[in-house]
Amino acid sequence: MDVLVPVDDSDCSFRALGFGADMAARYDADLHVVHFADEESDATDAVLERAQRVLDARDSDADPEVSTDVGVRSSGRAGSEILALVDERGYDHVVMGHHGAGTIERAILGSAAETVLRSEKVPVTVIP
């Protein structure tokens, strides 16, 4: 089983990463972490470093295989990028955070979590 966890610089995405790590450990799955940005920078490095610290801090006897080989991808529309990765890499489950934006914010900005959920391509766990 392969679990994909997209992270950004939000607390909810790192809560999702913790949940995804626990899930991967429980089901002996591989955990894959991705961050979306237009280009790699100190900010993107900081997000991936924070993700690694979250994973390192997990107190678990069963450490899932963690891959960040996907690394940094275009930030165009995160929901569409996540679905493209699911198609390309065949992930079995996506765990992602949701900022809890209201209706107006979703109408203007869209919601990556909502896009992935509505696609029904892959099971999704959304963490607030």
Side-chain angles (χ1 to χ4, degrees), residues 4 6 36 77-87 94 96 112 116:
L4 176 64
F36 296 97
R77 304 239 356 137
S80 298
E81 291 283 343
I82 293 165
L83 292 172
L85 279 176
V86 167
D87 286 341
V94 175
M96 56 193 306
V116 176

Side-chain angles (χ1 to χ4, degrees), residues 9 24-25 38 41-42 50 58 60 65 81 89 92 106 111 113:
D9 197 25
D38 290 327
S41 68
D42 290 343
R50 182 177 175 194
R58 307 298 303 167
S60 174
E65 179 71 27
E81 291 283 343
R89 305 274 176 115
D92 301 297
R106 269 198 312 273
S111 167

Side-chain angles (χ1 to χ4, degrees), residues 34-97:
V34 64
H35 172 65
F36 296 97
D38 290 327
E39 60 185 40
E40 194 163 351
S41 68
D42 290 343
T44 57
D45 290 342
V47 169
L48 293 175
E49 288 170 12
R50 182 177 175 194
Q52 191 59 58
R53 284 194 307 272
V54 167
L55 294 172
D56 290 344
R58 307 298 303 167
D59 186 25
S60 174
D61 292 335
D63 289 326
E65 179 71 27
V66 177
S67 168
T68 55
D69 64 330
V70 178
V72 178
R73 303 262 304 196
S74 167
S75 66
R77 304 239 356 137
S80 298
E81 291 283 343
I82 293 165
L83 292 172
L85 279 176
V86 167
D87 286 341
E88 289 171 22
R89 305 274 176 115
Y91 295 114
D92 301 297
H93 198 98
V94 175
V95 177
M96 56 193 306

Side-chain angles (χ1 to χ4, degrees), residues 96-111:
M96 56 193 306
H98 187 298
H99 300 278
T103 305
I104 294 172
E105 290 89 348
R106 269 198 312 273
I108 296 169
L109 301 174
S111 167

Side-chain angles (χ1 to χ4, degrees), residues 11-27:
D11 289 339
C12 64
S13 77
F14 289 102
R15 285 191 298 273
L17 179 57
F19 183 92
D22 290 344
M23 178 183 191
R26 182 173 298 122
Y27 295 106

